[in-house]
Amino acid sequence: MRAGVAQGGLFSPVLFNLYVKDMPKPSHHVQLALYADDTVIITTSRTPVLLVNYLQTYLSHLERWLTEWRIAINVSKSSAIIFARAGRRLIQPRSVTLFGEPINWVDTIRYLGVTLDKRLTWSPHIEKLSRRTAQRIGLLGPLLNRRSDLSIRNGVLLYKQFLRP
């Protein structure tokens, strides 16, 4: 390991927080949201052009910091999304880059297990959870029906472990 902290180590979260403590401070229109090694850069503006400018400016500062501390970023895993109110027309913004590679603009994004869409309707997230629940019910159906030899206690345990989450 040339830079960073060991994954899965007991002190890794603390060491990572110390390691990124001097990350470039965001400006007035930029905020950071960090959870473990997942980082979200949030820019706000009523004008998409300004929003993209704020984001690109911060990415340029971040690029210098990442280079200085030898932190490798897989830009292909990075994506950008613009959230807007329903009824507002969204134009395709110009691309933003990190280390010369464009960051893709997407309509939905997954962060910390939650799927967000550009209108914040929750529909993609609910659909995904519904599909996963239906799939699990299909798998567990033979064990949880009335004719099953499984005890009620174990059935409840299966329900709590696989369906309720």
Side-chain angles (χ1 to χ4, degrees), residues 8-25:
L10 186 61
F11 293 109
S12 293
V14 173
L15 292 173
F16 181 78
N17 284 332
L18 291 172
Y19 197 76
V20 299
K21 183 71 175 147
D22 67 338
M23 199 172 202
K25 299 294 180 232

Side-chain angles (χ1 to χ4, degrees), residues 50-118:
L50 285 176
L51 185 134
V52 171
N53 287 340
Y54 297 145
L55 179 58
Q56 186 61 63
T57 300
Y58 185 77
L59 288 175
S60 298
H61 294 303
L62 183 63
E63 191 174 308
R64 285 191 291 278
W65 182 82
L66 292 168
T67 302
E68 179 183 343
W69 287 101
R70 295 182 290 157
I71 299 174
I73 297 290
N74 187 348
V75 179
S76 65
K77 287 185 174 181
S78 300
S79 53
I81 187 170
I82 292 182
F83 298 111
R85 286 188 218 129
R88 290 203 50 161
R89 198 170 67 92
L90 287 176
I91 58 164
Q92 181 64 33
R94 72 174 170 83
S95 66
V96 291
T97 60
L98 184 62
F99 294 109
E101 291 184 52
I103 295 175
N104 295 325
W105 290 98
V106 296
D107 292 335
T108 61
I109 197 161
R110 188 170 156 92
Y111 181 64
L112 301 179
V114 178
T115 304
L116 302 168
D117 66 296
K118 62 185 177 183

Side-chain angles (χ1 to χ4, degrees), residues 148-159:
S148 173
D149 292 332
L150 194 66
S151 70
I152 291 176
R153 181 172 180 238
N154 287 337
V156 169
L157 184 65
L158 278 174
Y159 166 78

